[in-house]
C-alpha cells in the first residue's frame, strides 16, 4: 500500500451473493434499478454523508440511501477513513482456520494504492489494513439493486467481528451486529471445534467498532513476487493439482480473477488534453470481473476553467463523487427541464440518471472526480467535440432543426472539432 493512499473502492452488494449465482444470466442482475417513479426527479442536489459511525481506528460515513437520486440509481455509498495502523474488520463469510499449530494459511493478499478501483463480488469476505503513513480514505459503492439481494433494496452488512454503536442510524436502514453473538455458545464451540471458553471470547461485546488499531502490525504470509493475472491463474491451477491449500467456497471460486485496476495515471488516460485535463475509463473490457458485477467506473481530472462536453449516458446511471476541487454542474432531465444548476465540491456526491444530460465547468482550482456507472460497458453520447452527435448529421439537417444558416450550422457541427470530451477554456 502506498504511503499516501487515498484509493477508491468499487464494491457490489457485499456479502449477499450465493455461490450458485455465479452462473446467472447477467441480464437478470437488475431487479430494482429501473423503477420509473423513483427516477422521476424534479431536482437533484450535491449530497453529503448523513450518518456517521466512529470506531477505534476510523470513521464510516454513509450517504442517505433514502435520497431519491440514490434510490433511482439503486446504490448505497459509504466513505470510510481508516487511521494509520487501522484494520477494517472482515464481514460475514466462511473463513479458513488454522490446521497446524503455529502455521497459518490464508488467501492471497494484495496491496492497493491511490486511484485503485477494487471490484468485490457479493458474498466475498474482505478486510483492509492501512500500513501506509497517513489516513486511508475509501469510497465504496454497493449495488443494492442486484438480483443477489433477494429481500429488498436495503443494504445489509453482516459483520464477523466488531460492532456499531446503537442509535446512530435510522431504524431498518442498516444491520451491522456481530453475527456470531446470536448463536448458542456451546453449539458454536462444537461447530467450530474449539473450547467453549474460546467461543465465548469471540462472542463478547466489542466497543471498538468496525475498525480497530493493530499495535504491532499484521503478521501475514506474502508471496515473494507480484504475479500478473495469468500467473495467478497458473498458480491456482498448480495448487489444485498438487493438493496444496484448502478450498473454502466463493472466495476460492473467484480468486483467479483480477479484482483491481488503477485509473489514476494520466499516461494511461483514454482522453488527454494538455490544456484541459484527462479522463480514464474502466469497463469490463479492461477489468473482466466487472461483467459479473455489471458496474464500471471513470476517473476525470479537469484543469481550471476546463469544460466537460455536454453528454448523456445511454444505458446506465452515473454516480459522481468529487475527490478534489469545485465545478459548476448543470443537469437537464430527459423531458428538457433543468434539475440541477450549482456548485459541486470535494466530498459531495451527485447522481445523473440515465438519459439526463450534464455539462461541467471547472472552477479556478480545477475539478477531479470519479464516476461509478451502473453498467459494465456504459455508453456515452456527446453533444460537442470530435465525437459529437452533430458530426454524423448533414449540415442542412442541423440548419433546419435549429433554424440556422448553413454557415452557422457548419460552425455548430465542427466546433471543438479536434477535442474529445474534455475541452480547454476559451
Amino acid at each position: 500500500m502506498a504511503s499516501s493512499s487515498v484509493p477508491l473502492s468499487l464494491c457490489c452488494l457485499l456479502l449477499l451473493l450465493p455461490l450458485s449465482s455465479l452462473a446467472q444470466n447477467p441480464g437478470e442482475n437488475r431487479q430494482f434499478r429501473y423503477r420509473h417513479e423513483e427516477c422521476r426527479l424534479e431536482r437533484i442536489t450535491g449530497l453529503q454523508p448523513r450518518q456517521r459511525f466512529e470506531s477505534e481506528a476510523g470513521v464510516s460515513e454513509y450517504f442517505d440511501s433514502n435520497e431519491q437520486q440514490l434510490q433511482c440509481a439503486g446504490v448505497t455509498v459509504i466513505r470510510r477513513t481508516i487511521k494509520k495502523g487501522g484494520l477494517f474488520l472482515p464481514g460475514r463469510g466462511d473463513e479458513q482456520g488454522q490446521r497446524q499449530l503455529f502455521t497459518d494459511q490464508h488467501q492471497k493478499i494484495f496491496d492497493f494504492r491511490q486511484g485503485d478501483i477494487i471490484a468485490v463480488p457479493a458474498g466475498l469476505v474482505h478486510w483492509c489494513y492501512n500500513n501506509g503513513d497517513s489516513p486511508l480514505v475509501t469510497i465504496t459503492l454497493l449495488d443494492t439493486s442486484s438480483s443477489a439481494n433477494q429481500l429488498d433494496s436495503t443494504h445489509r452488512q453482516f459483520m464477523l467481528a466488531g460492532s456499531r454503536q446503537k442509535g446512530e442510524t435510522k431504524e431498518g436502514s442498516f444491520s451491522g451486529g456481530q453475527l456470531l453473538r446470536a448463536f448458542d455458545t456451546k453449539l458454536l464451540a462444537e461447530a467450530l471445534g474449539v473450547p467453549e471458553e474460546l467461543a465465548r471470547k469471540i462472542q463478547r461485546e466489542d466497543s471498538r467498532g468496525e475498525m480497530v488499531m493493530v499495535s504491532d502490525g499484521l503478521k501475514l504470509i506474502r508471496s515473494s513476487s507480484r504475479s500478473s493475472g495469468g500467473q495467478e491463474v497458473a498458480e491456482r491451477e498448480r495448487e489444485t493439482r498438487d493438493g496444496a491449500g484448502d478450498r473454502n467456497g466463493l472466495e476460492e471460486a473467484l480468486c483467479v480473477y483480477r479484482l483491481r485496476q488503477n485509473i489514476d495515471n494520466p499516461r494511461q488516460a483514454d482522453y488527454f488534453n494538455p490544456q484541459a485535463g484527462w479522463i480514464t475509463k474502466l469497463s469490463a473490457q479492461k477489468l473482466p470481473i466487472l461483467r459479473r458485477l455489471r458496474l464500471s467506473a471513470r476517473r476525470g481530472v479537469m484543469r481550471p476553467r476546463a469544460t466537460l462536453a455536454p453528454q448523456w449516458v445511454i444505458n446506465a446511471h452515473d454516480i459522481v463523487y468529487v475527490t478534489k476541487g469545485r465545478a459548476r454542474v448543470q443537469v437537464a432531465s430527459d423531458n428538457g427541464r433543468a434539475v440541477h444548476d450549482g456548485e459541486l465540491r470535494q466530498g459531495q456526491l451527485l447522481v445523473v440518471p440515465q438519459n439526463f444530460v450534464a455539462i461541467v465547468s471547472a472552477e479556478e482550482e480545477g475539478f477531479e472526480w470519479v464516476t461509478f456507472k451502473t453498467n459494465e460497458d456504459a455508453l456515452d453520447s456527446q453533444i460537442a467535440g470530435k465525437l459529437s452527435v452533430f458530426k454524423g448529421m448533414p449540415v442542412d439537417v442541423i440548419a433546419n432543426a435549429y433554424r440556422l444558416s448553413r454557415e452557422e450550422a457548419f460552425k455548430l457541427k465542427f466546433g471543438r472539432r479536434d477535442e474529445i470530451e474534455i475541452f480547454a477554456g476559451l
Side-chain angles (χ1 to χ4, degrees):
M1 193 176 299
S3 61
S4 177
S5 294
V6 189
L8 304 165
S9 301
L10 175 61
C11 304
C12 175
L13 195 60
L14 301 176
L15 315 176
L16 289 177
L17 179 63
L19 182 61
S20 60
S21 292
L22 291 178
Q24 68 184 1
N25 182 349
E28 298 174 355
N29 206 33
R30 291 282 180 265
Q31 64 177 2
F32 297 110
R33 171 147 298 140
Y34 301 108
R35 291 172 290 188
H36 180 69
E37 293 298 324
E38 291 171 352
C39 290
R40 188 177 292 173
L41 301 171
E42 297 297 327
R43 184 160 184 80
I44 58 178
T45 59
L47 302 178
Q48 295 277 12
R50 294 287 298 275
Q51 298 161 328
R52 177 185 174 95
F53 298 93
E54 293 192 7
S55 299
E56 178 187 61
V59 176
S60 297
E61 300 170 288
Y62 288 75
F63 290 85
D64 187 358
S65 58
N66 292 318
E67 284 281 351
Q68 188 180 7
Q69 54 185 296
L70 290 178
Q71 291 280 316
C72 169
V75 299
T76 292
V77 181
I78 307 168
R79 181 172 66 204
R80 289 191 174 97
T81 303
I82 307 174
K83 297 177 182 177
K84 175 184 175 181
L87 172 67
F88 174 63
L89 297 173
R92 194 193 75 176
D94 296 323
E95 201 71 30
Q96 191 74 345
Q98 284 185 301
R99 287 306 185 96
Q100 296 177 350
L101 200 60
F102 306 121
T103 301
D104 192 13
Q105 294 182 16
H106 55 67
Q107 291 164 339
K108 185 175 295 182
I109 296 169
F110 62 84
D111 294 331
F112 61 100
R113 58 191 174 89
Q114 179 173 315
D116 274 1
I117 289 287
I118 305 173
V120 183
L124 293 187
V125 173
H126 72 290
W127 53 268
C128 174
Y129 175 60
N130 181 8
N131 63 351
D133 296 329
S134 61
L136 170 68
V137 180
T138 68
I139 303 299
T140 302
L141 181 136
L142 304 111
D143 181 8
T144 55
S145 63
S146 166
S147 60
N149 192 352
Q150 294 290 303
L151 297 173
D152 52 35
S153 58
T154 300
H155 162 53
R156 290 171 171 81
Q157 179 177 328
F158 298 98
M159 304 171 66
L160 280 175
S163 64
R164 286 205 186 97
Q165 297 178 8
K166 296 180 180 180
E168 293 196 23
T169 183
K170 297 178 181 179
E171 185 178 357
S173 294
F174 299 96
S175 58
Q178 210 266 54
L179 188 67
L180 300 179
R181 293 187 61 196
F183 296 108
D184 176 79
T185 302
K186 183 176 180 180
L187 185 60
L188 180 63
E190 184 177 346
L192 296 176
V194 299
E196 281 190 47
E197 180 60 28
L198 179 54
R200 193 171 291 110
K201 284 184 177 181
I202 67 175
Q203 287 183 308
R204 61 191 170 189
E205 201 166 324
D206 192 341
S207 61
R208 297 177 298 169
E210 63 180 7
M211 289 175 269
V212 303
M213 295 301 298
V214 179
S215 56
D216 298 323
L218 292 181
K219 296 177 176 60
L220 306 170
I221 301 172
R222 306 301 296 269
S223 59
S224 57
S225 62
R226 297 182 179 180
S227 302
S228 65
Q231 289 173 319
E232 289 177 0
V233 174
E235 180 180 331
R236 178 55 54 191
E237 290 175 347
R238 284 196 302 272
E239 285 188 2
T240 303
R241 182 174 61 250
D242 298 338
D246 296 311
R247 305 187 70 82
N248 72 335
L250 185 58
E251 289 86 350
E252 294 292 342
L254 289 171
C255 69
V256 297
Y257 283 93
R258 184 166 54 89
L259 300 179
R260 74 189 188 280
Q261 176 79 27
N262 191 273
I263 57 174
D264 200 35
N265 186 349
R267 294 183 178 180
Q268 298 175 350
D270 291 279
Y271 305 132
F272 182 84
N273 185 328
Q275 285 76 45
W278 55 271
I279 291 175
T280 298
K281 299 179 179 181
L282 180 63
S283 67
Q285 296 178 19
K286 294 182 180 178
L287 189 63
I289 188 65
L290 294 178
R291 197 167 302 282
R292 293 196 181 275
L293 276 64
R294 301 215 68 193
L295 296 169
S296 57
R298 176 180 294 197
R299 170 68 166 157
V301 174
M302 296 172 67
R303 295 188 182 279
R305 300 301 179 186
T307 301
L308 194 66
Q311 58 190 275
W312 70 91
V313 184
I314 298 171
N315 58 348
H317 301 308
D318 278 357
I319 300 92
V320 181
Y321 180 79
V322 184
T323 58
K324 188 177 181 180
R326 296 181 301 122
R328 183 185 178 187
V329 179
Q330 290 187 318
V331 181
S333 67
D334 51 8
N335 61 12
R337 295 181 180 177
V339 295
H340 179 81
D341 183 4
E343 182 182 89
L344 200 60
R345 61 184 183 276
Q346 181 176 341
Q348 287 189 314
L349 186 80
L350 185 75
V351 174
V352 181
Q354 177 187 8
N355 290 326
F356 281 41
V357 181
I359 183 171
V360 180
S361 178
E363 300 289 357
E364 289 294 342
E365 61 267 48
F367 185 66
E368 301 182 14
W369 76 98
V370 61
T371 299
F372 302 101
K373 294 175 177 286
T374 59
N375 190 299
E376 71 274 23
D377 288 309
L379 300 174
D380 302 318
S381 191
Q382 300 168 26
I383 305 179
K386 192 173 184 178
L387 302 180
S388 167
V389 293
F390 292 137
K391 291 291 291 293
M393 299 180 188
V395 169
D396 277 7
V397 171
I398 299 173
N400 282 275
Y402 295 102
R403 293 188 290 185
L404 303 175
S405 67
R406 295 192 82 255
E407 182 182 357
E408 291 171 326
F410 188 88
K411 289 180 179 178
L412 179 60
K413 177 175 180 175
F414 294 104
R416 301 283 191 179
R417 61 190 302 169
D418 297 323
E419 296 178 282
I420 299 178
E421 191 159 353
I422 187 166
F423 308 144
L426 296 176

